[in-house]
């Protein structure tokens, strides 16, 4: 498994991350097998959130590995906060309480990366800054970032926050590419040319923020999986063509497509199936050519200007 640096933090981790949203659906024994398999594949980044399974996913994770210092140092653990039932909350009080809850459930003394989960329009960035300062000084959180934020929202936070924001978790897949479409269809008058995210792809590269694509196998906003979906024969035909060439699976090629982008993204893969994760991890050994990357992009239904 290739490694990448998250932002300019010096934190080196696997270029594919295991998303633990569905871990609450597993038994402790099943979760242990999933986690150990990930580590065997040299996947050492584990992505959590306080709301996953209402906290149970973090608990199962810690119980499954019998969390202790020797295994903790082999992992990079990321969690998120800010989503509450019916509203978003970036208050200092909630951020601090959320981190305390995650630390307790994960049975660890520190979080490697804390992300603000979804933008809170009532955010008072001074409160975020105060919370981050306290968490950093106490050693409870080592690095910080955001999720689903656009450039202006990030700049607002950066005006007050002293710590670097090293990552932004955003929806992106071969079949969900608005941040890429707008950059290709510049100065045109059709739907793909609309900049919906403030130019977050280029912004992230300019400001050394690692994009972490979530739902890398989904089409649309939670529209379902596109791999082996009869609704998308052309893209699946191309995925199979390159899967055969590189002796990988279609899912691995879909991840390799994300990894090929020079933004050096870190896809979040949420499968809880050992065999599927093993297949997907082979994406780290695949380097698509420029022609192959665009071939897949066009097979996904995109037209080049």
């Amino acid at each position: 498994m290739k490694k990448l640096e998250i932002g300019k933090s010096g934190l080196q981790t696997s270029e594919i991350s295991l998303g633990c949203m569905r871990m609450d659906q597993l038994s402790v024994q099943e979760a242990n097998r999933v986690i150990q398999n990930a580590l065997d594949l040299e996947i050492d980044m584990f992505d959590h959130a306080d709301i996953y399974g209402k906290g149970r996913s973090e608990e199962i994770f810690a119980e499954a590995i019998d969390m202790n210092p020797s295994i903790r140092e082999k992992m990079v653990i990321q969690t998120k906060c800010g989503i509450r039932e019916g509203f978003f909350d970036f208050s200092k009080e909630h951020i601090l309480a959320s981190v305390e809850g995650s630390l307790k459930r994960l049975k660890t003394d520190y979080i490697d990366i804390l992300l603000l989960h979804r933008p809170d329009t009532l955010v008072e960035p001074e409160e975020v800054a105060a919370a981050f300062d306290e968490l950093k000084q106490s050693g409870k959180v080592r690095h910080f970032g955001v999720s689903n934020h656009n450039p202006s929202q990030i700049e607002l936070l950066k005006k007050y926050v002293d710590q670097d924001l090293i990552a932004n978790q955003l929806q992106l897949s071969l079949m969900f590419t608005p941040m890429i479409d707008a950059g290709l269809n510049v100065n045109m008058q059709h739907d793909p040319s609309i900049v919906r995210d403030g130019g977050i792809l280029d912004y992230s590269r300019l400001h050394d923020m690692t994009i972490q694509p979530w739902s890398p196998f989904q089409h649309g906003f939670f529209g379902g999986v596109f791999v082996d979906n009869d609704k998308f024969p052309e893209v699946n035909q191309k995925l199979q063509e390159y899967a055969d060439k590189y002796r990988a699976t279609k899912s691995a090629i879909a991840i390799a497509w994300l990894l090929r982008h020079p933004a050096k993204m870190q896809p979040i893969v949420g499968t809880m199936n050992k065999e599927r994760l093993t297949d997907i991890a082979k994406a780290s050994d695949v380097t698509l050519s420029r022609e192959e990357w665009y071939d897949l992009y066009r097979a996904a239904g995109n037209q080049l200007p």
Side-chain angles (χ1 to χ4, degrees), residues 47 52 118 147-148 168-173 176 211-218 220-222 258 266-269:
D47 177 71
Y52 291 167
R118 278 198 175 274
S147 181
N148 305 299
N168 191 1
Q169 204 169 111
L170 298 157
Q171 186 177 10
L172 178 66
S173 76
F176 185 85
I211 292 175
Q212 298 176 330
W214 57 266
S215 288
F217 302 113
Q218 292 273 335
F221 185 69
F222 294 120
L258 293 170
Q266 183 187 45
I268 308 292
V269 176

Side-chain angles (χ1 to χ4, degrees), residues 18-30:
L18 181 64
C20 299
M21 183 174 72
R22 300 182 182 90
M23 193 159 282
D24 67 304
Q25 300 171 17
L26 305 183
S27 68
V28 170
Q29 293 75 21
E30 290 169 336

Side-chain angles (χ1 to χ4, degrees), residues 28-64:
V28 170
Q29 293 75 21
E30 290 169 336
N32 174 270
R33 289 192 286 271
V34 169
I35 297 165
Q36 291 298 337
N37 182 58
L39 292 172
D40 290 343
L41 295 169
E42 299 182 348
I43 294 174
D44 60 3
M45 165 71 97
F46 298 90
D47 177 71
H48 292 271
D50 58 352
I51 64 164
Y52 291 167
K54 297 182 178 179
R56 184 60 181 154
S57 291
E58 291 178 328
E59 290 177 345
I60 289 284
F61 182 86
E63 292 172 19

Side-chain angles (χ1 to χ4, degrees), residues 127-145:
E127 287 203 26
V128 174
F132 282 11
D133 284 344
E134 188 170 325
L135 292 168
K136 180 70 172 181
Q137 291 165 11
S138 66
K140 293 178 179 179
V141 176
R142 296 186 172 179
H143 303 282
F144 300 86

